[in-house]
Amino acid sequence: MSCCDLAAAGQLGKAGIMASDCEPALNQAEGRNPTLERYLGALREAKNDSEQFAALLLVTKAVKAGDIDAKTRRRIFDAVGFTFPNRLLTTKEAPDGCPDHVLRALGVALLACFCSDPELAAHPQVLNKIPILSTFLTARGDPDDAARRSMIDDTYQCLTAVAGTPRGPRHLIAGGTVSALCQAYLGHGYGFDQALALLVGLLAAAETQCWKEGEPDLLAVLRGLSEDFQKAEDASKFELCQLLPLFLPPTTVPSECLRDLQAGLARILGSKLSSWQRNPALKLAARLAHACGSDWIPAGNSGSKFLALLVNLACVEVRLALEETGTEVKEDVVTACYALMELGIQECTRCEQSLLKEPQKVQLVSVMKEAIGSVIHYLQQVGPEKQKEPFVFASVRILGAWLAEETSSLRKEVCQLLPFLVRYAKTLYEEAEEANDLSQQVATLAISPTTPGPTWPGDALRLLLPGWCHLTVEDGPREILIKEGAPSLLCKYFLQQWELTSPGHDTSVLPDSVEISLQTCCHIFLNLVVTAPGLIKRDACFTSLMNTLMASLPALVQQQGRLLLAANVATLGLLMARLLSTSPALQGTPASRGFFAAAILFLSQSHVARATPGSDQAVLALSPDYEGIWADLQELWFLGMQAFTGCVPLLPWLAPAALRSRWPQELLQLLGSVSPNSVKPEMVAAYQGVLVELARANRLCREAMRLQAGEETASHYHMAALEQCLAEP
């Protein structure tokens, strides 16, 4: 075939075969065109490339440009098949006098035409062309060459059609399309805007896979977009606000990008804007806050002013949206504002290295209080039919973040809302799968209209636990929570969460939030033990909770890295044991003995004797496992010592069990080996309390203590009560 024939064949695009003209067809006259059918027959019967090209030319003469409908296109495909386009795409030698890309251009044109049919776009013969099509996006050549431009357009149409099929994005990512699109965009050659549009679609459909396969190239695009955003002085900066959230990585955002993004946002939000200009900027800021906390905001005066501006704008937007009646709430914008308010709460409560100055904190707390009041007002209007809506979940989330830090203000409003919050949390707890789905929808609302982004906590109870922990200390809120059945719900929730940490589950992959929730539940139960002991005694759910604590602690104290949770479980169990001491489960059963043995292990291993240079006598020091977390642990440890002391006279079998564990002997030995000056008075009091109760409860304990020089040790530490007890027969 001559180059002229090939060039003529290339005119097929102008007659309806090239992808740019493969749009939905005008209505054909009813019935088939006899001439077209004759030419299609010739196409089917073609014996070589020359005959196929000639037949294609005849087909195009019978069909006017843009006049091919889906059925006709399918008949052309049936006549041509994939073999001929495949050969055109892979040929390495063009006829004399023809550019080497002409054959490939015609192959791509045919393929793009066929891809207009969704069924053909998902055909394996199309999918296996993804790698070669991707290479066309970055191939070098004359940028003004019309045929090359047409080939690029057709390539994008092929890839876009594949992306529109159910499994298309996955195939494109596996075929290297992400990197090719990134390079095409960064090269700013012909069609680079189409590359960006297709990238946006792939990131929206399969963000995780895109970043896994093309992280370096996507980061390069992010750098380019961030720099453009920082420099933009026209309306393009508002368009970039909508694009940029999609290009933020699931891992660390490069520092230079954060600088550019913050600078661009500062210029936008510091100007007088309409809502359509401001809202995308607030959503981008929310995504950055969600991904990076406050790390993207520079320290110093400019950073503090910017953060204060962000939070103030967010609070104003929330109040306007939730307080105005008769207007539709822009839920995605308000949820983004919630994320910015949450950032404000975190910074206002940070004691060290906060971006905010004290006057700014006072002002922001005031404006956030007003916004939270609007949230409470909104939630008071929520009926049962709306409880499963993601925006309600987002509103409960920001209220939970506020209550975790502040319960004294808006107390009346919070108390009025508590029954709703308990019912809401119970509803979502009982429908856990829907709660998880809601968390994803909330993330979608908060970050962008097209991508879910990082996962938010998946249940309402987890959001409310810190606030309820504070509220159970106060008489009024605690009575409401008890009346509404919150303790029973919390027990069920604790047991469910605990199940995730039981044998058979891989605790190494559990999110930190599970352990944090368990610890917070323990704190709430501790509050109830102290403030509502009658509830613990009469509510059967606490008997089930006690059984779980007893069964779980022996294994828990042996696990590395879980000492703080073990401390919570041990202390809560010891305090509950005092109230439930008459329960059959605590009468020396294997479970109760195992629990108290584990509790003794936790209490006894906190301190060791440590030698000091230049001194003959050791000092009492924290053991290595306890040292790093003692600030969080010490209150629980002292409370646990006190609770154990209270259990000894109530459980007759406990003192002999403690003696068999050798805890009293080893405790006296420890005190005898260190300098009394190294033992703080509160430690002396805690140790004496345990030793005195054990000595009073059991004669064998007293004898063992005497053999361990108990009287002498008691004298050295001025433990008068222990000294007197050991002096008795």
Side-chain angles (χ1 to χ4, degrees):
M1 169 175 275
S2 71
C3 186
C4 292
D5 292 332
L6 192 58
Q11 297 300 313
L12 288 169
K14 297 180 181 178
I17 299 297
M18 299 287 285
S20 56
D21 291 320
C22 286
E23 302 297 333
L26 300 172
N27 291 328
Q28 292 273 349
E30 190 169 350
R32 294 186 177 184
N33 183 325
T35 304
L36 174 61
E37 293 305 314
R38 187 167 65 255
Y39 293 160
L40 285 175
L43 187 59
R44 284 190 293 269
E45 296 171 5
K47 297 182 177 59
N48 53 49
D49 291 348
S50 296
E51 292 181 5
Q52 281 195 314
F53 274 117
L56 280 171
L57 288 171
L58 292 173
V59 168
T60 59
K61 289 180 181 179
V63 182
K64 294 181 180 180
D67 217 20
I68 299 180
D69 63 9
K71 291 182 179 179
T72 303
R73 188 182 300 116
R74 188 61 187 238
R75 291 205 306 279
I76 294 174
F77 165 75
D78 291 338
V80 177
F82 280 114
T83 303
F84 186 47
N86 288 349
R87 291 177 59 198
L88 292 172
L89 289 171
T90 57
T91 185
K92 296 181 180 179
E93 294 184 4
D96 293 340
C98 286
D100 58 3
H101 65 271
V102 171
L103 291 175
R104 292 195 296 273
L106 185 56
V108 176
L110 288 168
L111 202 62
C113 182
F114 300 152
C115 282
S116 299
D117 183 331
E119 184 178 340
L120 292 179
H123 195 285
Q125 285 285 358
V126 172
L127 299 179
N128 65 21
K129 302 299 181 301
I130 290 173
I132 190 170
L133 289 172
S134 297
T135 64
F136 295 161
L137 301 179
T138 56
R140 295 182 178 180
D142 182 0
D144 297 322
D145 186 298
R148 185 177 293 278
R149 288 190 171 202
S150 182
M151 183 176 74
I152 291 174
D153 286 335
D154 292 341
T155 300
Y156 280 118
Q157 183 163 334
C158 287
L159 298 176
T160 302
V162 172
T165 64
R167 297 177 62 85
R170 187 176 304 178
H171 289 293
L172 290 173
I173 294 166
T177 304
V178 172
S179 293
L181 290 171
C182 291
Q183 292 167 27
Y185 173 75
L186 292 170
H188 276 66
Y190 179 77
F192 78 98
D193 52 338
Q194 298 182 70
L196 185 62
L198 188 50
L199 266 179
V200 167
L202 290 178
L203 284 166
E207 179 186 23
T208 301
Q209 294 91 330
C210 284
W211 281 101
K212 183 178 179 181
E213 294 296 328
E215 181 171 350
D217 294 300
L218 284 170
L219 286 176
V221 172
L222 174 61
R223 290 187 182 95
L225 291 173
S226 302
E227 186 175 350
D228 292 343
F229 179 62
Q230 193 272 334
K231 294 178 179 178
E233 298 289 348
D234 55 13
S236 65
K237 60 187 176 184
F238 303 115
E239 298 173 2
L240 286 168
C241 275
Q242 296 177 326
L243 285 178
L244 279 162
L246 292 164
F247 287 89
L248 295 178
T251 54
T252 305
V253 181
S255 58
E256 65 271 24
C257 295
L258 293 178
R259 286 194 299 271
D260 287 340
L261 293 174
Q262 188 275 330
L265 282 171
R267 286 211 312 276
I268 290 177
L269 295 174
S271 306
K272 188 175 181 180
L273 303 170
S274 60
S275 60
W276 73 267
Q277 294 170 322
R278 181 178 58 253
N279 291 345
L282 290 173
K283 292 168 70 173
L284 173 57
R287 175 64 193 268
L288 287 167
H290 193 65
C292 310
S294 61
D295 292 344
W296 61 288
I297 301 175
N301 191 50
S302 63
S304 65
K305 286 183 177 180
F306 174 71
L307 176 57
L309 173 65
L310 272 182
V311 179
N312 273 289
L313 287 173
C315 291
V316 169
E317 190 69 33
V318 168
R319 292 192 63 189
L320 288 174
L322 300 184
E323 292 178 6
E324 288 187 4
T325 57
T327 59
E328 184 179 354
V329 176
K330 295 179 180 178
E331 296 179 350
D332 57 339
V333 178
V334 177
T335 308
C337 291
Y338 286 165
L340 296 176
M341 286 175 59
E342 194 165 337
L343 177 63
I345 293 170
Q346 293 168 1
E347 285 301 313
C348 284
T349 55
R350 180 179 294 182
C351 297
E352 297 180 359
Q353 297 182 332
S354 174
L355 291 171
L356 298 169
K357 300 172 184 177
E358 200 59 35
Q360 291 173 316
K361 291 183 179 182
V362 173
Q363 188 271 330
L364 288 182
V365 167
S366 176
V367 74
M368 286 192 291
K369 175 184 173 182
E370 294 174 350
I372 291 296
S374 300
V375 174
I376 293 175
H377 173 74
Y378 165 76
L379 290 173
Q380 287 171 336
Q381 317 305 315
V382 172
E385 72 283 357
K386 288 189 174 182
Q387 287 193 10
K388 296 178 184 178
E389 293 184 3
F391 183 65
V392 176
F393 189 92
S395 300
V396 170
R397 174 188 169 90
I398 187 59
L399 178 60
W402 173 263
L403 293 177
E405 305 295 344
E406 174 57 61
T407 57
S408 59
S409 62
L410 300 170
R411 182 177 300 181
K412 178 182 176 182
E413 292 84 352
V414 169
C415 287
Q416 291 174 344
L417 191 65
L418 278 178
F420 165 80
L421 293 176
V422 175
R423 291 193 301 270
Y424 180 77
K426 184 178 181 181
T427 298
L428 264 63
Y429 167 76
E430 291 174 348
E431 302 177 17
E433 288 188 4
E434 292 192 33
N436 285 325
D437 181 60
L438 276 178
S439 71
Q440 288 286 359
Q441 294 181 54
V442 169
T444 301
L445 282 175
I447 293 162
S448 80
T450 54
T451 181
T455 305
W456 288 31
D459 60 75
L461 261 176
R462 188 174 303 166
L463 310 177
L464 295 169
L465 287 177
W468 286 7
C469 187
H470 297 314
L471 292 170
T472 48
V473 177
E474 304 176 25
D475 293 340
R478 181 176 63 252
E479 291 174 5
I480 296 173
L481 288 169
I482 292 173
K483 180 182 177 182
E484 295 296 329
S488 176
L489 175 61
L490 288 169
C491 283
K492 293 176 183 177
Y493 178 76
F494 181 90
L495 297 177
Q496 179 209 55
Q497 294 292 296
W498 190 265
E499 197 63 31
L500 298 175
T501 70
S502 62
H505 291 81
D506 185 1
T507 57
S508 65
V509 299
L510 282 178
D512 293 340
S513 55
V514 172
E515 190 146 322
I516 292 172
S517 293
L518 289 170
Q519 292 177 24
T520 310
C521 281
C522 286
H523 295 167
I524 295 175
F525 295 141
L526 286 170
N527 290 342
L528 294 175
V529 167
V530 174
T531 60
L535 175 70
I536 308 300
K537 293 179 179 179
R538 69 174 180 267
D539 199 321
C541 71
F542 288 101
T543 301
S544 299
L545 176 62
M546 185 70 211
N547 291 336
T548 298
L549 299 179
M550 289 195 299
S552 305
L553 187 62
L556 185 60
V557 294
Q558 304 290 343
Q559 296 176 18
Q560 289 291 326
R562 309 192 73 194
L563 182 56
L564 192 55
L565 180 59
N568 278 278
V569 170
T571 304
L572 175 61
L574 290 170
L575 284 168
M576 290 180 61
R578 288 196 311 182
L579 299 175
L580 303 173
S581 59
T582 59
S583 168
L586 286 164
Q587 307 310 310
T589 60
S592 62
R593 289 180 181 275
F595 169 78
F596 276 93
I600 288 172
L601 194 63
F602 159 65
L603 296 171
S604 65
Q605 292 187 339
S606 62
H607 290 77
V608 294
R610 184 175 297 166
T612 55
S615 176
D616 296 338
Q617 207 166 15
V619 297
L620 188 71
L622 287 166
S623 59
D625 289 342
Y626 289 67
E627 193 168 13
I629 58 172
W630 185 246
D632 298 319
L633 199 63
Q634 60 177 337
E635 186 177 353
L636 290 167
W637 185 87
F638 280 108
L639 196 55
M641 291 287 285
Q642 182 182 348
F644 185 92
T645 300
C647 288
V648 172
L650 299 174
L651 301 171
W653 59 270
L654 185 53
L659 182 62
R660 285 193 295 274
S661 75
R662 294 192 55 79
W663 184 27
Q665 301 96 308
E666 291 174 356
L667 180 51
L668 287 169
Q669 183 181 6
L670 174 64
L671 291 173
S673 65
V674 301
S675 168
N677 293 331
S678 69
V679 186
K680 296 178 180 179
E682 59 268 26
M683 295 294 301
V684 174
Y687 285 146
Q688 178 177 225
V690 169
L691 292 170
V692 166
E693 287 301 331
L694 290 173
R696 287 174 179 170
N698 187 270
R699 177 181 58 82
L700 294 176
C701 280
R702 291 194 295 276
E703 292 178 359
M705 290 181 195
R706 293 190 190 105
L707 291 174
Q708 196 62 51
E711 293 172 289
E712 181 181 352
T713 301
S715 176
H716 286 160
Y717 285 90
H718 306 292
M719 295 179 177
L722 179 59
E723 197 171 0
Q724 180 181 351
C725 186
L726 293 180
E728 298 173 359

